[in-house]
Amino acid sequence: MGVPPTYKLHGEGSLASVGAFFDALFSVRYFFLVGGRMWNWHFNKESYYSRFEPRKLPASLIPSIATSADLGSGFAPVITGGVSYEVSDNWYANFSLSYVKLKTEANLTTTYKGTVLAKSNTTLTLDPLVAFASVGYRF
């Protein structure tokens, strides 16, 4: 069985997308200055457990070559700070900013007609800053 020819690709773009599941394990929320005030500040510390579903990457230039990706599971701390504004007795608006820090390992396996050509791994760090705004009504 021969080894396929090498092709070089240049450019930028997305190789694949991954489905992720995040389960909250632990959450502590502290509200500052609550009770009859229009502005309520809060701070939240959470811990999430994340797991990713295995993925087969899109087909390469050679149809018989396939690459699969397996991402490891792990814990991710989340820190949130925010403010809530009491518009009236029942209506309120909320804004928060969260920082998530997730580090995981990705294992890639490339095969050609069922034979493993290459295995590689890398560490991925995801650290987004997430903004959230909402308007709510209390019944």
Side-chain angles (χ1 to χ4, degrees):
M1 183 185 298
V3 176
T6 302
Y7 293 94
K8 291 186 178 180
L9 298 177
H10 300 283
E12 294 180 14
S14 174
L15 287 175
S17 62
V18 173
F21 304 95
F22 294 95
D23 301 322
L25 294 177
F26 180 73
S27 178
V28 174
R29 183 173 283 188
Y30 183 78
F31 288 91
F32 300 92
L33 306 173
V34 293
R37 297 185 185 262
M38 291 180 71
W39 292 94
N40 293 311
W41 300 88
H42 67 271
F43 173 77
N44 193 19
K45 169 67 177 96
E46 297 175 316
S47 181
Y48 280 85
Y49 181 73
S50 62
R51 50 197 161 93
F52 300 91
E53 59 185 31
R55 282 295 219 213
K56 187 172 184 176
L57 301 182
S60 66
L61 294 175
I62 304 169
S64 52
I65 290 183
T67 301
S68 62
D70 183 25
L71 280 76
S73 301
F75 292 96
V78 179
I79 298 172
T80 303
V83 62
S84 177
Y85 178 73
E86 303 292 329
V87 179
S88 68
D89 288 340
N90 294 22
W91 287 95
Y92 65 94
N94 185 32
F95 175 79
S96 65
L97 200 56
S98 299
Y99 176 73
V100 182
K101 178 85 171 179
L102 173 64
K103 200 173 207 178
T104 189
E105 191 171 296
N107 298 305
L108 303 168
T109 305
T110 302
T111 58
Y112 175 66
K113 293 185 180 178
T115 302
V116 175
L117 292 179
K119 285 189 173 193
S120 58
N121 64 352
T122 187
T123 300
L124 300 174
T125 301
L126 308 170
D127 57 351
L129 197 57
V130 180
F132 175 79
S134 67
V135 175
Y137 182 82
R138 288 187 193 96
F139 295 95

